[in-house]
Amino acid sequence: MTDLKGKKALVTGAAGGIGAAVVKALRAKGCSVAVADRDVSGVEAEAHLPGNLLEAGYADGLPAAAKAALGGLDIVVNNAGVITRGKVDETSDADWDLSVGVNVEAPFRICRAAIPLLPPGSAIVNVASCWGLRPGPGHAVYCMTKAAIASLTQCMGMDHAGAGIRINAVAPNEVNTPMLRTGFAKRGFDPDTAVAELGRTVPLGRIAEPEDIAEVILFLASDVARYIVGTVVEVNGGKPVK
């Protein structure tokens, strides 16, 4: 149903758990992919565009670079993200700059640059979070940035639907990614034990795997979702933020 043969896609955060799964799934459906991350040397793709999303020039130039490398651009997946933990009074300026820069400013810049390049029938999919739709404890700036990208997605969806560009977002809850597992390890927890314990809090009995999120992103990027615009799709296994 989600045949993307001949489509050209840009994926940010392509070396991470969800990003790598998205790239693999897109290519399996016949899509040519340009990958962006700090280091994409280990990612199989048609074009590699390494760089730092905190650099405005790099983010601004990514859509044009992807289009030039692939011979076109039909899909943009803004997947790159960071998690800053802590309450507001525990958040440093560096935490703020990193979180806002990667989670909000970079996708804003990429969308702004991509929209004039995208043909009718194209799609942008942003990665928000359930934690941006409802308040969660101890992650004030992370929740704020994911709320911002969810709202931006809804606004852009309305603004650019008339040009045939569909803009939507996915909002995962916990996902079994290297970033999540590293976070557990830094806080002194065994990642396997912590992931298993988290799974018991989910009605479906497990936290998401990257492929669970990637499949929804592919759905939103494909013509199967041709009438879905400005929507934030929660992919949470039935687990609320609390």
Side-chain angles (χ1 to χ4, degrees):
M1 293 175 65
T2 53
D3 180 21
L4 296 169
K5 188 174 182 179
K7 298 289 186 180
K8 320 288 187 183
L10 167 65
V11 179
T12 70
I18 294 174
V22 170
V23 172
K24 185 177 179 179
L26 284 169
R27 297 182 77 231
K29 294 292 184 179
C31 189
S32 298
V33 182
V35 292
D37 211 320
R38 284 179 175 271
D39 181 2
V40 290
S41 58
V43 183
E44 291 188 16
E46 283 65 40
H48 295 79
L49 304 171
N52 184 356
L53 284 173
L54 293 175
E55 296 176 1
Y58 171 68
D60 287 338
L62 265 179
K67 182 176 181 179
L70 299 174
L73 187 62
D74 307 288
I75 298 166
V76 175
V77 180
N78 282 305
N79 164 72
V82 296
I83 297 177
T84 299
R85 297 175 176 84
K87 303 173 185 177
V88 165
D89 58 352
E90 300 166 343
T91 302
S92 67
D93 286 353
D95 293 334
W96 170 270
D97 291 342
L98 176 64
S99 297
V100 173
V102 175
N103 293 355
V104 182
E105 184 175 342
F108 163 77
R109 288 182 175 278
I110 291 167
C111 287
R112 185 177 63 179
I115 285 166
L117 305 178
L118 293 172
S122 58
I124 297 175
V125 184
N126 298 318
V127 177
S129 171
C130 292
W131 287 66
L133 305 181
R134 283 168 297 280
H139 292 70
V141 172
Y142 175 71
C143 291
M144 182 209 74
T145 61
K146 289 304 186 177
I149 200 63
S151 179
L152 181 63
T153 296
Q154 292 168 324
C155 293
M156 291 190 299
M158 294 177 66
D159 288 341
H160 302 287
I165 302 171
R166 294 184 306 100
I167 305 176
N168 295 288
V170 296
N173 205 321
E174 293 105 347
V175 184
N176 188 15
T177 63
M179 183 166 65
L180 181 81
R181 298 176 73 88
T182 299
F184 282 134
K186 286 182 178 178
R187 287 176 286 163
F189 300 110
D190 175 70
D192 289 336
T193 301
V195 166
E197 290 178 354
L198 262 185
R200 287 191 283 273
T201 70
V202 181
L204 276 181
R206 63 175 179 85
I207 67 171
E209 294 296 330
E211 292 75 16
D212 296 320
I213 313 305
E215 290 291 343
V216 180
I217 291 172
L218 258 65
F219 164 72
L220 291 172
S222 75
D223 289 341
V224 180
R226 59 189 172 273
Y227 204 66
I228 300 178
V229 176
T231 296
V232 180
V233 179
E234 291 191 60
V235 190
N236 60 12
K239 181 183 177 180
V241 174
K242 58 182 179 179

